[in-house]
């Protein structure tokens, strides 16, 4: 088979120049018109003079493509001012630190399938230039394997549409078995009123409601399969006990995204774990210093979540209220003692 070389049309010059600026420039890396012409010749097989490059660069300026340059004062042979425009570059919508933060968010997500994770990282890297690509090339790494739900992005798409249209959804909710595969938790499908999606602890959750209850429930989106948007309209949020969804408050009170109402908890904590208290509960808790190396903390939190949090930090905190949680922890530690004594 014979391949014929085709000279790129002149109308592609402006597109290719924009591509060059995106690929090779930022505020710290700039190109002269001669350098742009050289790249056009070597990589795009387009031979153009500097005047043509300059004309197209100014056309890009008029199109407001984020192009900028440096103007250098110069006098021509007749003594007239004839400044030259050089050091062309494109301003970035995201700086390198912001892109790295986005990449880290994708990599540390515990729900995004590995293939999608690699694709997303590649797309994010494409928002910058070759210099950023070289800097992050050996920084990030992906685990060899992670639990995968190939329906994840489709599920998010359907939920997004259902939430915007105020429609109910039905789905199969799953859990992992010993074979490391998802299995339905029950035979009948779940039918819920979807309100919001939220990310916490590297997981993506659906905040929703069952018709027969007046409180919110939380479901891991990566455990959902077979989702369908129904024609039936969802229950209005104002009919729930909360009356509205205050997302920051909801996330702060539901540390592990357990369902159910919140309680007022009071506990004693060592001063050196105040950082962890704020990491988990935000700035909502009331913290009262004592004369010792401890403080008293009061916070509104989901009952089940508070039990497991107190167990996690059991060496550093003591639950004072409510009494039933205190007794539950006492019994749990007794059972642990029986296993390890």
């Amino acid at each position: 088979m014979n391949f014929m070389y085709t000279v790129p049309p002149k109308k592609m010059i402006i597109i290719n120049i924009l591509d060059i600026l995106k690929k090779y420039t930022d505020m710290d890396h700039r190109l002269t018109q001669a350098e742009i012409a050289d790249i056009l010749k070597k990589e795009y097989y387009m031979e153009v003079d500097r005047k043509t490059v300059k004309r197209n660069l100014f056309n890009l300026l008029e199109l407001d493509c984020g192009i900028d340059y440096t103007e250098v004062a110069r006098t021509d042979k007749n003594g007239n001012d004839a400044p030259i425009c050089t050091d062309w570059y494109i301003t970035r919508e995201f700086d390198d630190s912001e892109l790295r933060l986005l990449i880290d968010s994708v990599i540390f997500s515990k729900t995004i399938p590995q293939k999608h994770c690699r694709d997303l990282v590649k797309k994010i890297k494409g928002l910058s230039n070759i210099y950023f690509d070289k800097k992050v090339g050996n920084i990030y790494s992906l685990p060899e394997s992670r639990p995968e739900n190939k329906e994840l992005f489709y599920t998010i798409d359907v939920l997004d549409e259902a939430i915007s249209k105020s429609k109910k959804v039905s789905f199969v909710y799953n859990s992992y078995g010993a074979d490391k595969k998802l299995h339905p938790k029950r035979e009948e499908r779940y039918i819920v009123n979807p309100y919001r999606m939220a990310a916490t602890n590297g997981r993506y959750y659906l905040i929703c409601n069952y018709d027969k209850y007046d409180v919110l429930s939380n479901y891991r989106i990566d455990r959902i399969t077979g989702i369908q948007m129904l024609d039936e309209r969802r229950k209005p949020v104002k009919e729930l006990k909360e009356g509205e969804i205050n997302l920051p408050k909801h996330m702060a009170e539901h540390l592990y995204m357990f369902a159910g109402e919140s309680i007022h908890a009071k506990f004693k904590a060592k001063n050196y774990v105040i950082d962890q208290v704020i990491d988990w509960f935000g700035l909502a808790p009331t913290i009262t210093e004592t004369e010792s190396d401890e403080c008293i903390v009061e916070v509104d939190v989901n009952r089940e979540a508070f039990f497991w949090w107190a167990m996690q930090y059991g060496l550093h905190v003591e639950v004072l209220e409510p009494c039933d949680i205190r007794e539950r922890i006492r019994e749990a530690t007794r059972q642990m003692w029986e296993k390890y004594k």
Side-chain angles (χ1 to χ4, degrees):
M1 183 180 293
N2 294 323
F3 293 94
M4 295 183 63
Y5 173 75
T6 303
V7 177
K10 290 184 177 181
K11 62 184 177 181
M12 290 294 293
I13 294 175
I14 190 170
I15 296 175
N16 291 338
I17 289 176
L18 181 60
D19 190 51
I20 289 170
L21 293 173
K22 288 180 177 179
K23 185 177 180 181
Y24 290 103
T25 71
D26 54 35
M27 287 190 69
D28 300 318
H29 304 88
R30 309 185 183 202
L31 293 174
T32 64
Q33 294 170 39
E35 288 170 334
I36 294 173
D38 188 51
I39 297 173
L40 280 171
K41 181 179 180 180
K42 290 179 178 178
E43 297 186 19
Y44 297 85
Y45 309 105
M46 304 185 79
E47 194 158 354
V48 298
D49 56 32
R50 278 183 284 182
K51 288 184 178 180
T52 302
V53 172
K54 180 179 179 180
R55 183 173 65 252
N56 282 277
L57 284 169
F58 276 94
N59 287 337
L60 288 172
L61 282 174
E62 291 181 4
L63 293 173
D64 195 22
C65 296
I67 309 299
D68 208 346
Y69 62 93
T70 300
E71 190 173 281
V72 180
R74 193 183 68 168
T75 304
D76 62 18
K77 60 183 180 180
N78 297 319
N80 299 318
D81 291 335
I84 60 172
C85 300
T86 187
D87 295 338
W88 294 82
Y89 68 97
I90 191 167
T91 55
R92 298 281 165 185
E93 192 167 352
F94 297 94
D95 62 35
D96 288 354
S97 62
E98 292 171 330
L99 292 177
R100 182 167 293 169
L101 180 63
L102 291 174
I103 288 176
D104 288 343
S105 298
V106 171
I107 291 172
F108 295 127
S109 169
K110 300 173 184 177
T111 57
I112 301 176
Q114 191 172 32
K115 182 181 182 303
H116 285 97
C117 189
R118 292 185 184 277
D119 291 343
L120 283 172
V121 169
K122 185 177 180 180
K123 289 178 181 178
I124 293 171
K125 287 169 63 179
L127 295 173
S128 191
N129 51 33
I130 59 170
Y131 310 105
F132 176 77
D133 185 56
K134 290 177 181 178
K135 283 195 293 185
V136 300
N138 297 316
I139 292 177
Y140 73 90
S141 60
L142 296 174
E144 290 300 318
S145 62
R146 63 171 75 189
E148 292 196 1
N149 177 353
K150 295 181 180 179
E151 298 181 33
L152 176 66
F153 285 90
Y154 175 74
T155 300
I156 292 173
D157 206 29
V158 173
L159 284 173
D160 195 39
E161 183 179 3
I163 291 170
S164 64
K165 293 183 177 179
S166 300
K167 299 288 187 179
K168 290 185 177 182
V169 294
S170 73
F171 54 79
V172 176
Y173 198 60
N174 304 272
S175 61
Y176 279 97
D179 59 359
K180 301 178 183 178
K181 295 181 180 179
L182 289 173
H183 299 276
K185 295 193 71 172
R186 68 185 194 191
E187 291 186 7
E188 67 261 41
R189 293 174 64 85
Y190 288 66
I191 299 177
V192 302
N193 303 293
Y195 299 113
R196 299 288 290 273
M197 289 183 283
T200 183
N201 299 325
R203 310 290 187 188
Y204 217 20
Y205 290 87
L206 168 66
I207 301 173
C208 59
N209 162 262
Y210 275 110
D211 274 337
K212 62 180 180 180
Y213 301 115
D214 64 352
V215 294
L216 293 170
S217 297
N218 307 301
Y219 288 93
R220 287 264 299 272
I221 295 178
D222 61 307
R223 302 287 171 85
I224 293 174
T225 56
I227 191 165
Q228 295 177 357
M229 183 175 68
L230 306 179
D231 291 332
E232 187 178 355
R233 292 188 66 80
R234 73 181 180 202
K235 180 194 299 183
V237 179
K238 63 183 180 181
E239 294 183 13
L240 304 183
K241 185 176 182 179
E242 289 88 345
E244 62 177 2
I245 297 180
N246 184 330
L247 193 56
K249 180 174 181 291
H250 181 83
M251 301 298 284
E253 293 182 3
H254 294 74
L255 304 181
Y256 305 106
M257 296 304 283
F258 287 111
E261 62 183 357
S262 295
I263 58 169
H264 186 76
K266 183 177 182 180
F267 61 92
K268 187 186 299 182
K270 296 291 185 181
N271 288 335
Y272 58 76
V273 297
I274 292 178
D275 282 344
Q276 283 71 33
V277 170
I278 292 176
D279 281 346
W280 283 97
F281 298 102
L283 299 177
T286 299
I287 302 177
T288 306
E289 293 183 307
T290 64
E291 295 180 356
S292 62
D293 62 345
E294 297 176 322
C295 59
I296 303 297
V297 181
E298 296 185 59
V299 64
D300 292 328
V301 61
N302 174 269
R303 177 182 293 275
E304 192 68 14
F306 181 61
F307 167 75
W308 290 107
W309 184 87
M311 291 291 291
Q312 179 180 344
Y313 285 90
L315 292 175
H316 317 287
V317 305
E318 178 189 350
V319 174
L320 303 176
E321 298 174 6
C323 292
D324 63 317
I325 297 293
R326 183 180 173 90
E327 290 302 317
R328 186 178 170 188
I329 292 173
R330 188 203 306 271
E331 177 60 21
T333 53
R334 185 193 67 78
Q335 292 180 24
M336 290 173 66
W337 165 248
E338 290 296 325
K339 290 180 180 180
Y340 290 98
K341 67 181 180 179

